[in-house]
Amino acid sequence: MIGLIGGSGLSHLEGLELEQQMQRETPFGEPSAPLMIGKFAGKDVAFIPRHGEHHTIPPHLINYRANIWAMHQLGVEQILAVASVGGITELYKPGVIALPDQLIDYSWGRESSFFSEDFSAARHIDFTYPFDETLRQQIQLAANIVEMTVIDGGTYAVTQGPRLETAAEIRRLKNDGADVVGMTAMPEAGLARELNIAYASIAVVANHAAGISSHPLSMEVIIETMDSSMHRVHRLLKSAIPLL
Ligand code: HPA
């Protein structure tokens, strides 16, 4: 079973032939929404919108542990996670789709491990490469097949939100080496790694990050960019899923 996590702009997975909807309680509480289980591009998938069915859960209040655990319980071994991000460096312009290969975690106060209550030395996972390289390459290949341009790589800075950043914060992230900024890749990616689930992010640039362009950030423009990018995300997923 393949797991798909939808971000802002992707609360419903077009083309999913729904077979079952499952609301599962986990040892870590309730997932963001019932898992939608069915066939997508000929494969068994489980889909969950991380912000809830009606986009009501802000990034810092998402129950990441319940979402990842519920997928693990279903036997999910690979997760493609779609996320909207702000673009910091030159190539990462609004509308661009990127497959980050690194991240820096600036979030705080989130439940970020399945082992917080039951820790032992063996639980220090290797996280040198936070996104699964094989999965990233498969998505890149899927993009090539449908002649879609995606950026291979980039560093995803994870901020706490829900507010957007200040111009100085974005300057700092840029100095730190970040290419895009979003609010959800952590603890999601770390939790997946704890359970040996291969995880890759499909990051859709919704806007220039704060202070990068001279225009003030507007939620309307961000949502518009996300909406107009989602048909490409669906096309990419349809091409990628059969390769996994
Ligand atoms: N910052 C953080 N998260 C985001 C942004 C941003 O500019 N755009 C979309 N998600």
Side-chain angles (χ1 to χ4, degrees), residues 84-87 159 164-165 181-183 206-210 217 222:
S84 82
V85 295
T159 54
L164 297 167
E165 297 71 32
V181 55
M183 301 175 188
N207 55 284
H208 287 291
L217 294 175
I222 293 178

Side-chain angles (χ1 to χ4, degrees), residues 10-31:
L10 189 67
S11 300
H12 296 280
L13 187 62
E14 250 167 67
L16 174 68
E17 297 160 41
L18 187 65
E19 288 166 359
Q20 206 184 342
Q21 217 171 315
M22 201 182 280
Q23 181 59 290
R24 283 219 183 193
E25 184 68 27
T26 75
F28 305 97
E30 287 221 345

Side-chain angles (χ1 to χ4, degrees), residues 184-206:
T184 56
M186 284 300 283
E188 214 168 72
L191 291 167
R193 181 63 57 85
E194 282 192 343
L195 298 179
N196 270 323
I197 299 173
Y199 177 100
S201 165
I202 296 175
V204 185
V205 181

Side-chain angles (χ1 to χ4, degrees), residues 122-175:
R123 301 301 195 183
H124 290 289
I125 53 162
D126 173 53
F127 206 44
T128 313
Y129 301 103
F131 300 104
D132 186 80
E133 193 51 35
T134 305
L135 207 45
R136 278 192 351 91
Q137 281 172 17
Q138 283 163 322
I139 303 167
Q140 178 65 59
L141 177 64
N144 295 348
I145 289 171
V146 293
E147 295 180 2
M148 188 185 299
T149 305
V150 300
I151 299 186
D152 183 1
T155 296
Y156 179 141
V158 190
T159 54
Q160 176 71 356
R163 67 168 176 82
L164 297 167
E165 297 71 32
T166 67
E169 284 169 338
I170 294 299
R171 277 200 300 276
R172 172 200 178 198
L173 299 187
K174 190 173 186 181
N175 284 336

